[in-house]
Amino acid sequence: MIFVTGGAGFIGANFVLDWLAQCDEPVLTYDKLTYAGNLNNLVSLRSDPRHFFVQGDINDQDQFAQLLEQHQPRAVLHFAAESHVDRSILGPATFVTTNINGTFHLLEATKTYWHKLPSTEKSAFRFLHVSTDEVYGTLSAEDPPFSETTPYAPNSPYSASKAASDHLVRSYHHTYGLPTLTTNCSNNYGAYHFPEKLIPLIITNARAGKELPVYGDGQQVRDWLYVNDHCAAIRRVLADGRSGETYNIGGWNEQTNLSVVHTLCNLLDELQPKKNGSYRDQIRHITDRPGHDRRYAIDARKIERELGWKPAETFETGLKKTVEWYLANDVWVNQVQSGDYLKWVDLQYSNKTEAI
Ligand code: NAD
Ligand code: TYD
């Protein structure tokens, strides 16, 4: 069996669904079910005997330790985190509590469990930490993409908390020998993406006839990867990654935010045309995010060279699948856009002014 923390969130849920579609090894999903965690993401597994769900906080070291003893997993895959940069700017405390303290407690419980394993299981065990390219900071247009040896230079409370958690994972390998793997991935998109993040926010706002908020000039660059490609990369790293190593994962797909928004508008104009005009008419440039990183880009040659992974989906095919998923899943969208979500949208967007 494997344990997946944060398996009710966007990437974690896609990972659990993919895993059980590919093999029969059971999964225990451990998730606090914060605003970002949603059991509806895993509803298709409700009566699947290969899937177990436990609601819990990664800071609850005792509960996690008991579960490890009880189920004896061969790996812990750690996705659980506070993940939204804008929320980290307005309220950094939970990012420290979950991403730093939570990862620490998870490592402590896992280290104790791992120490007691018989030698064969001990050497086969893995703690796989899912992290982000944002730990490397920001690039100028001329810089080469982030590689595994790029120095850490996190700029937001979110990326600083993820960087701290990466360092803790590194130290548990170096000091205690815990067999760890760390992946640093670029921006994901796909099904079950919570509509606070750019791509699902644009799709859902466009369909609701609302403004499409673009921060500043919209020329910031992100490297977008389809979520199922990320899941496939994690499976490859878990299977054959070298203990103690880090692997960068990316889509070789740099896009400006404005270009992403334009492509989404084009797709919606084609798949669900408005009565009058284009969805582009709803675009509004608003006050920029404080400390906004200008460009992220990933050099994903190490994972391709060592593990043979590269993305299967192009941005065009992946984005089309994503828009089609949102068009077909109104019930999911309506359910997540409930009271707490509306409060967030009000807090984040109501006092922003026109930028350009
Ligand atoms: P998400 O916000 O959609 O989901 C996070 C999940 O973690 C939720 O189910 C939430 O309930 C759970 N969680 C939060 N705090 C918890 C706690 N204290 N204890 C237990 N569970 C808790 O995030 P995501 O986009 O799916 O990201 C998953 C991981 O991948 C994160 O570690 C993130 O840093 C990393 N990552 C994300 C992206 C991206 O583009 N979304 C890119 C690279 C890396
Ligand atoms: P986001 O999806 O929040 O991911 P991250 O900040 O982790 O890269 O944002 C992606 C990019 O889109 C980022 O440069 C900020 C920008 N953005 C907007 O322009 N408008 C928005 O309403 C949001 C949420 C993001």
Side-chain angles (χ1 to χ4, degrees):
M1 153 178 286
I2 60 165
F3 276 21
V4 172
T5 73
F10 163 49
I11 305 174
N14 276 288
F15 181 84
V16 171
L17 293 169
D18 264 12
W19 180 271
L20 292 173
Q22 315 260 346
C23 74
D24 284 330
E25 185 175 9
V27 178
L28 185 144
T29 297
Y30 185 81
D31 197 297
K32 187 178 175 181
L33 297 180
T34 66
Y35 78 93
N38 184 353
L39 278 183
N40 285 335
N41 299 352
L42 299 171
V43 73
S44 59
L45 302 175
R46 199 157 40 192
S47 50
D48 191 321
R50 301 170 302 166
H51 185 245
F52 302 80
F53 177 78
V54 176
Q55 184 168 8
D57 188 324
I58 52 172
N59 280 294
D60 189 343
Q61 195 177 313
D62 290 344
Q63 185 191 28
F64 200 77
Q66 276 168 21
L67 290 167
L68 289 168
E69 287 300 325
Q70 187 186 342
H71 294 278
Q72 301 280 307
R74 70 168 177 102
V76 171
L77 284 80
H78 177 33
F79 294 78
E82 288 293 334
S83 68
H84 190 33
V85 173
D86 292 320
R87 285 187 192 254
S88 84
I89 294 167
L90 290 177
T94 53
F95 287 73
V96 173
T97 308
T98 288
N99 300 357
I100 306 179
N101 297 355
T103 301
F104 165 70
H105 288 297
L106 217 52
L107 284 164
E108 276 292 290
T110 306
K111 172 170 66 89
T112 305
Y113 161 72
W114 171 75
H115 263 307
K116 290 190 273 182
L117 287 174
S119 63
T120 315
E121 283 85 352
K122 198 172 178 183
S123 54
F125 183 83
R126 293 290 181 269
F127 181 95
L128 191 153
H129 176 58
V130 179
S131 192
T132 167
D133 60 356
E134 303 193 24
V135 297
Y136 298 118
T138 188
L139 295 168
S140 70
E142 300 76 34
D143 286 329
F146 303 129
S147 76
E148 288 79 0
T149 54
T150 302
Y152 274 31
N155 287 321
S156 70
Y158 164 65
S159 55
S161 68
K162 290 298 289 187
S165 67
D166 293 9
H167 291 324
L168 280 169
V169 171
R170 177 189 159 88
S171 77
Y172 272 64
H173 175 74
H174 190 80
T175 304
Y176 306 111
L178 187 70
T180 61
L181 297 159
T182 296
T183 56
N184 293 91
C185 188
S186 61
N187 286 61
N188 284 214
Y189 66 96
Y192 305 109
H193 205 180
F194 194 76
E196 65 185 356
K197 306 279 171 62
L198 180 71
I199 287 180
L201 181 90
I202 295 298
I203 299 170
T204 51
N205 274 16
R207 296 186 66 212
K210 296 183 181 158
E211 286 173 346
L212 309 182
V214 172
Y215 296 161
D217 63 4
Q219 294 307 310
Q220 306 83 0
V221 171
R222 297 291 182 266
D223 170 3
W224 293 96
L225 179 70
Y226 190 57
V227 65
N228 298 75
D229 276 329
H230 187 189
C231 296
I234 291 173
R235 287 197 301 274
R236 283 298 300 126
V237 172
L238 179 66
D240 289 316
R242 287 181 290 132
S243 173
E245 289 289 314
T246 67
Y247 294 90
N248 280 2
I249 304 170
W252 299 106
N253 174 43
E254 292 183 50
Q255 305 275 341
T256 65
N257 292 338
L258 198 57
S259 153
V260 170
V261 174
H262 283 161
T263 309
L264 286 168
C265 290
N266 294 349
L267 276 166
L268 284 164
D269 284 338
E270 175 196 324
L271 295 170
Q272 196 177 81
K274 298 212 296 189
K275 285 201 184 77
N276 296 307
S278 161
Y279 288 97
R280 288 191 189 208
D281 304 336
Q282 293 165 229
I283 293 173
R284 182 168 170 244
H285 289 262
I286 61 168
T287 319
D288 207 350
R289 171 188 282 174
H292 200 170
D293 284 338
R294 197 68 180 165
R295 175 178 166 240
Y296 302 144
I298 279 276
D299 176 344
R301 281 178 297 178
K302 177 177 173 182
I303 187 172
E304 181 172 356
R305 191 175 59 244
E306 291 191 12
L307 304 176
W309 175 89
K310 54 181 181 184
E313 208 74 51
T314 66
F315 194 51
E316 290 67 35
T317 57
L319 212 54
K320 185 157 192 214
K321 280 185 190 174
T322 305
V323 172
E324 284 168 346
W325 187 86
Y326 279 88
L327 293 178
N329 284 279
D330 278 335
V331 174
W332 184 93
V333 171
N334 293 336
Q335 184 262 331
V336 298
Q337 290 183 322
S338 61
D340 273 353
Y341 176 78
L342 296 176
K343 272 188 232 155
W344 163 253
V345 170
D346 191 43
L347 186 68
Q348 171 66 9
Y349 296 98
S350 63
N351 59 357
K352 297 278 189 287
T353 50
E354 197 87 36
I356 52 173

